[in-house]
Amino acid sequence: HSGAVLKASVTPLGTRARLLRTVPELKAYLDQSGYDVMGYRIAVEALLFDPNGKLLLQERGPECRDEVGKLECIGGQVLGDDLVDCTSQHVRRVAGEGVSIEVDELLDVQPTRFVERHGPEDWITVCYLCRLTGGEPRPVNPGKTTALVWLDLADLHAIADERLSRSTSRARDIYRAKFRTNPYFSHAGRLA
């Protein structure tokens, strides 16, 4: 893949009408946007907020294939066709079976190149805005998630890019442009 394709970004959608629930919907959207994504793997990530507007990030552990030690939104590789269900499954796998979330809207779809142990890999990352609806998140597998960290949005915006995974750094920048330091669900006309 050329560097130009990887530096570009798909325009953020951010509307509930276009949640992009399935892999076929995502592929159709990317095709309409002029992206040749052959060879890309697909990942989902959740910008997961508690009712008070704090954001939950994971610190990637030593057994991860990339971004070890970096703070990242909770997510992972898509193995089925339902992106929303996959997002919920990854949250439970990382933060505990008793944790439940609501996937509210799409924030961004982005090509991302991660440098893995064996070399660079190209991904399409689908980032959703989500709310914690039940359970107490805790790290389930310390080899993959060293810690779970709750942050205020102002603290998130102050973190240096090199401390965040590539996809989370990009999601943070898109979020800041749209919502600044406000929880997305606090805006007039949005979810209450």
Side-chain angles (χ1 to χ4, degrees):
H1 298 285
S2 73
V5 171
L6 291 174
K7 290 178 185 170
S9 174
V10 176
T11 304
L13 301 178
T15 61
R16 289 180 59 87
R18 293 290 298 154
L19 189 59
L20 293 179
R21 294 193 61 90
T22 68
V23 170
E25 287 175 24
L26 172 64
K27 288 182 177 178
Y29 170 74
L30 291 167
D31 188 51
Q32 290 170 0
S33 300
Y35 277 76
D36 176 5
V37 295
M38 289 300 293
Y40 282 79
R41 289 187 274 173
I42 300 169
V44 290
E45 66 180 8
L47 262 78
L48 180 57
F49 290 83
D50 76 359
N52 300 315
K54 289 197 175 227
L55 178 68
L56 184 64
L57 295 180
Q58 66 176 331
E59 183 175 347
R60 292 181 59 85
E63 295 174 14
C64 290
R65 71 175 138 222
D66 57 36
E67 305 282 18
V68 172
K70 302 227 175 165
L71 294 174
E72 184 171 67
C73 296
I74 297 175
Q77 185 170 1
V78 173
L79 300 174
D81 262 351
D82 189 323
L83 300 170
V84 172
D85 185 54
C86 185
T87 303
S88 294
Q89 288 176 24
H90 279 297
V91 169
R92 286 191 305 274
R93 191 173 298 125
V94 168
E97 281 300 319
V99 173
S100 58
I101 66 168
E102 187 68 34
V103 178
D104 289 326
E105 67 181 89
L106 180 69
L107 178 67
D108 191 33
V109 176
Q110 60 179 289
T112 309
R113 176 167 274 189
F114 290 110
V115 179
E116 300 183 6
R117 294 173 197 259
H118 66 275
E121 288 288 338
D122 295 326
W123 292 79
I124 293 293
T125 305
V126 182
C127 184
Y128 293 108
L129 297 174
C130 305
R131 288 174 294 122
L132 178 69
T133 57
E136 289 293 323
R138 57 175 177 67
V140 173
N141 180 348
K144 296 273 188 167
T145 302
T146 306
L148 293 175
V149 180
W150 287 103
L151 295 169
D152 288 320
L153 285 165
D155 295 332
L156 173 68
H157 296 327
I159 294 174
D161 277 341
E162 33 312 319
R163 182 76 178 103
L164 298 171
S165 75
R166 286 179 179 214
S167 61
T168 298
S169 176
R170 167 72 180 163
R172 184 232 357 228
D173 292 347
I174 295 290
Y175 189 94
R176 181 174 43 224
K178 289 183 78 171
F179 303 106
R180 309 304 270 159
T181 58
N182 301 305
Y184 72 93
F185 48 81
S186 70
H187 286 264
R190 293 195 172 269
L191 301 171

